[in-house]
Amino acid sequence: MSTFTSPLLQTLAQVNDEDDAAISVYLDLDPSVTPTRADMASRVRSAVDRLETASDRRSGEAKRTFEDGVDRVHRFLGEQDLRGGAEVHGAALFALGCEVFEALPLWRSAGDAVTAGGRFALRRLAVEDARTSQVLLVIAGRELGRVVLLRDGRLIELVDADQEIENRHHQGGWAASKLQRYTDRQAELHLAAVVEIAERTHARLGQPPIVLAGTAENSAVMRGRLGQEASAAVIGELPNMRDFDEASVLRELTAIAERHDGERERAMLERHAEQLGRGELAEGLDAALIAISESRVQTLLLAPGPGPEVCACPQCGRLSDRVQVCPLDGSFIVVEPMGLELAVAEAISRGADVWQLSDANRDALAASAGVGVITRY
Ligand SMILES: [Zn+2]
């Protein structure tokens, strides 16, 4: 989970409103779906209309809380042009009365959806959040050093290491070396300085995946010099990038990030299968849901699509795949109107990540109705 949204996801997942007034809105702002501000306005209007229709069932305090939330959403969407540049492809809004309001830009669209219930609908946000959205690119050559961050679909130049290293040389009384041809020793010192700057930046950013760019020889030198943590974070290498324009850098890094996510997914499915194989986890939806309720889940795995029916105990919150008497308190476990979203909120609030399988692996969890878990122990 990204270090930026994870605390916020946890906070939102803990909201549990008796009046079912927790409002979640996802907007598809992809330029192909929402090309103009007017398109967005009409999309927003229909989203808010759907919410207001839903509020007719409520009365008294519950209705007021709900309408305060709708108001917040309405006002925010009326005042802001969420499209804000090509990199914003979606938005997620969460409101509960006057107490909670969060608006988050998404750089990959999560589609359109509006829900109101006891919990926030966090699945789409959590799924986006779990994918690799940050990559640190370290470009280094004999006389070249740059550290660039791919974040949310765009490139941000973090450090022009050349400048920093040059200043350092001045300070160290090396001014004359600038005029000389770089010797091997100097090239080595230069690479070491770039690596040092990259490592510092990597730690400061919460250790995102790293891609090294340079000749095979320079990349090998960089790999050798990186410390354990940064070295373990390297997910790919690119050739010397002198001739790359921004669009091709973006394309290459995005492809590496996607490949990396494919590998992560394979590893997760393997671990899931191993846990089942060793009998640490029973097969089936019910076992997965119980593991969530018992706070044993590290990663909740979901097949794409709406997901199965989920039941919950109104007394203690225990999840189940069927209507039955709760083994813990004797209450009737009943069908949960929010369905799988409740399981997602429960899992996140208990510290789990949420991973949605790619289409290629969509049937991997068929034996447990498209819901699987990796447990902590
Ligand atoms: Zn119960």
Side-chain angles (χ1 to χ4, degrees):
M1 205 179 276
S2 111
T3 41
F4 296 95
T5 34
S6 144
L8 177 62
L9 265 172
Q10 288 246 354
T11 307
L12 293 172
Q14 277 152 16
V15 167
N16 193 349
D17 183 61
E18 283 187 355
D19 296 329
D20 286 351
I23 297 166
S24 313
V25 179
Y26 288 90
L27 292 169
D28 189 345
L29 302 177
D30 196 282
S32 65
V33 179
T34 312
T36 67
R37 193 167 176 174
D39 294 317
M40 199 196 78
S42 80
R43 198 168 211 88
V44 167
R45 213 172 305 122
S46 82
V48 173
D49 283 352
R50 267 176 277 159
L51 280 183
E52 279 174 342
T53 314
S55 113
D56 293 345
R57 303 183 268 108
R58 294 177 170 80
S59 61
E61 188 66 24
K63 192 176 172 73
R64 252 192 313 280
T65 309
F66 185 77
E67 284 178 352
D68 283 344
V70 171
D71 252 22
R72 278 300 285 281
V73 171
H74 207 172
R75 224 170 337 132
F76 180 83
L77 293 175
E79 286 163 5
Q80 311 290 327
D81 184 357
L82 293 174
R83 291 168 306 136
E87 67 272 8
V88 178
H89 285 192
L93 314 180
F94 303 97
L96 173 60
C98 300
E99 288 160 38
V100 183
F101 184 76
E102 294 293 344
L104 303 159
L106 303 173
W107 72 284
R108 277 181 291 240
S109 171
D112 272 335
V114 179
T115 56
R119 311 290 287 256
F120 286 123
L122 299 173
R123 175 181 175 178
R124 293 165 194 244
L125 179 62
V127 162
E128 276 310 305
D129 195 50
R131 293 174 65 186
T132 301
S133 59
Q134 287 199 95
V135 176
L136 196 65
L137 175 66
V138 182
I139 307 168
R142 285 172 73 94
E143 301 170 40
L144 176 75
R146 283 168 66 206
V147 181
V148 179
L149 181 68
L150 165 74
R151 178 186 287 167
D152 296 345
R154 66 201 174 101
L155 296 173
I156 306 162
E157 174 105 34
L158 292 180
V159 190
D160 184 343
D162 288 342
Q163 199 57 46
E164 189 172 320
I165 294 163
E166 206 170 284
N167 291 342
R168 209 183 289 184
H169 290 185
H170 277 295
Q171 283 157 10
W174 288 16
S177 72
K178 245 180 77 186
L179 306 171
Q180 295 165 2
R181 251 185 96 252
Y182 265 63
T183 65
D184 284 344
R185 176 66 187 147
Q186 280 164 332
E188 201 186 313
L189 285 171
H190 172 82
L191 279 178
V194 174
V195 165
E196 188 201 315
I197 291 165
E199 285 203 297
R200 220 185 317 127
T201 314
H202 183 243
R204 185 161 52 79
L205 291 170
Q207 302 178 334
I210 295 175
V211 170
L212 301 175
T215 60
E217 193 191 341
N218 286 336
S219 287
V221 172
M222 281 196 281
R223 266 185 189 270
R225 286 194 166 270
L226 282 173
Q228 208 173 8
E229 273 165 349
S231 178
V234 174
I235 59 166
E237 284 179 17
L238 289 172
N240 201 340
M241 305 199 69
R242 276 183 201 279
D243 305 324
F244 279 45
D245 60 6
E246 185 166 332
S248 44
V249 173
L250 201 56
R251 200 172 47 241
E252 295 284 343
L253 283 186
T254 306
I256 291 175
E258 279 171 7
R259 204 170 58 223
H260 175 59
D261 281 348
E263 283 159 13
R264 288 168 71 203
E265 181 166 313
R266 255 194 307 284
M268 284 185 243
L269 284 171
E270 267 172 38
R271 226 176 126 209
H272 172 68
E274 279 165 17
Q275 291 189 337
L276 285 176
R278 286 197 298 262
E280 291 166 12
L281 188 74
E283 187 124 23
L285 175 61
D286 203 44
L289 294 173
I290 289 170
I292 294 173
S293 290
E294 292 177 347
S295 301
R296 285 189 286 122
V297 176
Q298 185 177 66
T299 306
L300 172 62
L301 300 169
L302 300 174
E309 192 175 81
V310 169
C311 301
C313 174
Q315 191 66 33
C316 69
R318 189 179 174 88
L319 302 173
S320 175
D321 69 342
R322 60 187 179 277
V323 174
Q324 56 168 319
V325 174
C326 176
L328 301 183
D329 52 40
S331 305
F332 273 111
I333 289 180
V334 293
V335 175
E336 162 56 41
M338 293 200 74
L340 195 56
E341 284 287 0
L342 175 69
V344 169
E346 281 290 305
I348 296 171
S349 71
R350 290 156 193 271
D353 293 334
V354 181
W355 186 266
Q356 182 163 299
L357 300 179
S358 58
D359 274 331
N361 290 322
R362 61 180 312 131
D363 296 329
L365 300 169
S368 48
V371 178
V373 295
I374 295 170
T375 59
R376 291 180 213 280
Y377 46 81

